[in-house]
Amino acid sequence: MTRLDRTTERHGWVALLAASVVAALLPTAAVAVAPPAAGAAWQAAAAAPADEAQDFPFPGADTIALHNGSDQYVTYGASAGGRKVPYAVSGSGDVVGTSPVVAGDALPGGGGAWVADGAGIWTPGAFYHVKDGVGRYYLFYTAIHRNDGDRRCIGVASSTNPFGGFRAEAQPIVCPDKGDRWALDADVTTGPEGAIWMTWRDGQRAEGPESALSVMMLKFNADGTVDRNSDPVVIMRSDALAWAHHQQDGGVTVIENPSALFHNGSWYLFYSGNSWPTNYYATGIAHCGAKIDDGLCSQLPGPNRAWFSYSGPQTHLPDSLRLYGLPGNKRGPGALDVYRARDGKPWVTWNYLSDGGGRKSRVGRLVITGSGANADFRVTL
């Protein structure tokens, strides 16, 4: 969401929080959510992919496995319906599942001392890590920095309880000091040899009317805090992406929401592009090779085409700028987060423009065939 001039902002941050008020009408369940009987909710969604009834009722979602003995999964979302970080519990075993029920607020007190009063929380990247025998859940979230205009920065909060008790660190882990640039959309993943990496939209290193995505290694401390463990490296720039430029007004060309996956010896980067509130918003994929911090990744299948996008009948990217669709063919699919289920197989959670307004989030299986720069990616329910 970086912008050279805040008046050119197209991401729709305020519009999102307003539109998501519909989530407040949804019932609030107790924390102890039972697994869907025989995968009933998942089967219903798979049977009718155009139906939004079983999808998560919040945007900016990230899913991880629970480590509390329940064998389920938790999905955290951006502020909606009066909750700072709404979450839902779903699935069982190797099936991530889905749920329309908001089970609670993981961060009701907000993002900590550095965050502006009343500010919402955006794109909480979830991660679980064990240090010195203590397992903790981490949220890497975006919020507005106090007394710094409209600047967005990335903070960290941790807890041994996935549903509450998160302690936010006193200062953000990433916060640009260049002009009106922002840092946002952090995602954290484990790579070879146990190294832990964070990707994010990096306004500090963007140049001119473009966006940049960066990566750096993290160090997790015994007290639950997190430090940088390497210098940031830019791995994607938006200036050459034809689909991300389509129908734009000359402001900053948007790429954001990076999520990295190491698979069969290669790193892949999933990311969003174009204008967030529109049908043109879509998902790209890039091949980064054996090392994720070894320079710019290469777009797949090239710089001209988004990998996943909406295909109509309403306004959409031209066929020459798009490759595949996603289950349900919902408008503006983005913020696609990739992770692994308990059996190690890859899944994704993404959000879309709901037919009823605002954004919702959906879960699917990521099917990967081929390898290296010739890999192919599809999503099924």
Side-chain angles (χ1 to χ4, degrees):
M1 287 192 296
T2 304
R3 291 294 181 273
L4 294 173
D5 180 345
R6 285 192 292 271
T7 62
T8 67
E9 176 62 57
R10 297 192 303 269
H11 194 289
W13 178 294
V14 176
L16 161 69
L17 297 181
S20 296
V21 72
V22 67
L25 301 177
L26 292 164
T28 300
V31 167
V33 178
W42 178 256
Q43 291 171 359
D51 184 4
E52 302 178 4
Q54 294 299 324
D55 291 339
F56 298 117
F58 43 71
D62 197 0
T63 304
I64 59 171
L66 285 168
H67 296 263
N68 61 353
S70 70
D71 211 30
Q72 294 184 292
Y73 297 81
V74 60
T75 298
Y76 302 96
S79 294
R83 299 176 177 92
K84 292 294 187 181
V85 178
Y87 68 85
V89 179
S90 65
S92 181
D94 299 331
V95 176
V96 175
T98 185
S99 174
V101 178
V102 176
D105 188 343
L107 203 64
W114 65 268
V115 176
D117 293 340
I121 300 297
W122 183 245
T123 54
F127 190 71
Y128 181 80
H129 182 68
V130 178
K131 179 72 175 182
D132 294 345
V134 179
R136 287 185 174 89
Y137 299 84
Y138 294 83
L139 296 175
F140 293 78
Y141 58 89
T142 301
I144 300 174
H145 197 285
R146 182 184 300 274
N147 300 324
D148 197 9
D150 202 35
R151 191 182 309 281
R152 268 68 169 175
C153 303
I154 295 170
V156 185
S158 65
S159 176
T160 56
N161 177 1
F163 307 131
F166 281 89
R167 183 184 65 179
E169 297 194 22
Q171 298 296 329
I173 192 168
V174 176
C175 197
D177 60 9
K178 184 172 76 173
D180 290 333
R181 295 289 192 172
W182 297 353
L184 64 158
D185 297 342
D187 190 66
V188 177
T189 190
T190 302
E193 301 180 356
I196 302 172
W197 299 90
M198 184 178 92
T199 52
W200 75 101
R201 181 171 169 181
D202 185 3
Q204 183 72 31
R205 291 163 186 82
E207 300 173 356
E210 67 163 12
S211 306
L213 307 178
S214 290
V215 67
M216 69 179 176
M217 206 180 314
L218 299 177
K219 176 185 177 183
F220 287 72
N221 303 311
D223 64 355
T225 59
V226 181
D227 294 325
R228 299 186 184 197
N229 201 30
S230 70
D231 292 331
V233 175
V234 175
I235 55 176
M236 179 71 67
R237 298 189 184 275
S238 66
D239 48 2
L241 300 176
W243 63 271
H245 286 269
H246 183 69
Q247 294 294 320
Q248 296 308 292
D249 59 11
V252 170
T253 301
V254 174
I255 54 172
E256 56 197 5
N257 292 301
S259 183
L261 173 71
F262 187 76
H263 182 78
N264 285 347
S266 288
W267 280 101
Y268 298 95
L269 186 70
F270 299 72
Y271 62 97
S272 307
N274 209 293
S275 180
W276 183 91
T278 74
N279 295 355
Y280 301 125
Y281 198 63
T283 296
I285 302 177
H287 176 243
C288 305
K291 294 182 63 179
I292 194 170
D293 62 342
D294 194 24
L296 296 178
C297 304
S298 299
Q299 296 92 355
L300 300 177
N304 292 330
R305 303 174 80 183
W307 196 276
F308 296 123
S309 70
Y310 172 65
S311 62
Q314 299 183 36
T315 302
H316 61 281
L317 287 173
D319 290 347
S320 61
L321 299 182
R322 54 176 302 276
L323 188 60
Y324 299 134
L326 286 165
N329 190 34
K330 294 297 183 178
R331 295 174 298 117
L336 188 144
D337 177 65
V338 58
Y339 51 92
R340 295 188 183 276
R342 296 184 187 279
D343 60 359
K345 293 182 179 179
W347 287 63
V348 291
T349 301
W350 73 97
N351 67 43
Y352 60 84
L353 290 167
S354 170
D355 295 339
R359 278 187 172 259
K360 289 187 173 183
S361 297
R362 176 165 287 188
V363 166
R365 296 176 173 90
L366 180 64
V367 180
I368 307 174
T369 55
S371 62
N374 296 315
D376 187 74
F377 304 86
R378 308 289 180 99
V379 175
T380 64
L381 293 181

